[in-house]
Amino acid sequence: MKTGNRARAAALAAAVVLLMVLGCDTAAVDETRGCREQRQADEAKVRVSRWESPEELPFVGEYSEIHWQARALGNPCSRVPGPTDWEYQGVIVLRPEDAHRLAEQFDFVPFASIDPAELLHSHTPTDVRPDLVPFLPTRPRWLHSEIYNETAPSTRWRVVFLDLEHRTLLFMLNDH
């Protein structure tokens, strides 16, 4: 093969490799964009399915209603391997007997009487996701229990607020 042909062949091979790399990057960008759009749609969805890990919310009983959402704390669309932590928030309407049992068993106290700086967590009822606000009582009287939050077993960090009058439990769970 002549030197000119070798140079053309090498240039052609380089061009093919460059197009393949650019094609892969374009596909990766499209894949990441699609993943981001799917994640945003999933995070916006308010779910009404029963909570599948009852040990994470012990003693809530056979509640009549639930609305919850999941949100990625990291970037599950990243091309870097590894798990992504998730945050879950939800609102549960409890049966009257379960709400009272929960309040008594775990020494729930008025949240308004607690200094938020003394809490083991930084979550408050004002941290609820906007799509869940319509499912909260209009004038809640939140109760709080560090004892319940720390009750084993739980695979996630747990923070709950209970409105006994409206039998409403606001929960926030984070992977750890």
Side-chain angles (χ1 to χ4, degrees):
M1 194 183 258
K2 294 186 179 181
T3 306
N5 287 340
R6 282 191 202 146
R8 273 189 232 121
L12 182 59
V16 168
V17 168
L18 181 60
L19 287 173
M20 288 174 49
V21 169
L22 289 175
C24 288
D25 282 349
T26 303
V29 168
D30 288 344
E31 182 180 314
T32 301
R33 184 178 303 121
C35 177
R36 252 193 333 262
E37 290 168 357
Q38 182 63 47
R39 184 189 90 216
Q40 289 170 345
D42 287 345
E43 288 180 356
K45 180 190 271 186
V46 175
R47 294 162 170 82
V48 294
S49 57
R50 292 196 74 73
W51 192 253
E52 289 300 320
S53 302
E55 69 277 0
E56 293 173 349
L57 296 166
F59 307 103
V60 296
E62 291 297 320
Y63 49 86
S64 61
E65 187 178 320
I66 185 170
H67 296 87
W68 61 276
Q69 290 184 300
R71 180 174 67 99
L73 297 175
N75 182 2
C77 300
S78 170
R79 296 178 73 191
V80 177
T84 296
D85 288 341
W86 289 84
E87 172 193 62
Y88 304 89
Q89 289 189 4
V91 179
I92 299 175
V93 177
L94 303 170
R95 295 183 308 183
E97 61 272 19
D98 293 329
H100 287 284
R101 188 177 321 112
L102 195 65
E104 292 169 7
Q105 185 175 355
F106 292 97
D107 196 30
F108 276 80
V109 296
F111 182 69
S113 69
I114 298 172
D115 178 3
E118 294 178 8
L119 295 173
L120 299 175
H121 57 81
S122 60
H123 297 296
T124 70
T126 60
D127 297 321
V128 69
R129 298 198 56 196
D131 292 337
L132 296 174
V133 169
F135 305 105
L136 295 176
T138 52
R139 291 192 181 133
R141 286 191 232 159
W142 293 120
L143 303 174
H144 183 263
S145 172
E146 284 293 330
I147 297 168
Y148 183 83
N149 291 344
E150 296 175 9
T151 297
S154 182
T155 58
R156 296 183 168 105
W157 285 310
R158 177 189 317 123
V159 177
V160 300
F161 301 94
L162 174 66
D163 180 322
L164 196 54
E165 181 182 340
H166 297 100
R167 304 175 342 265
T168 302
L169 185 77
L170 168 62
F171 68 87
M172 301 173 185
L173 303 170
N174 285 34
D175 287 337
H176 57 84

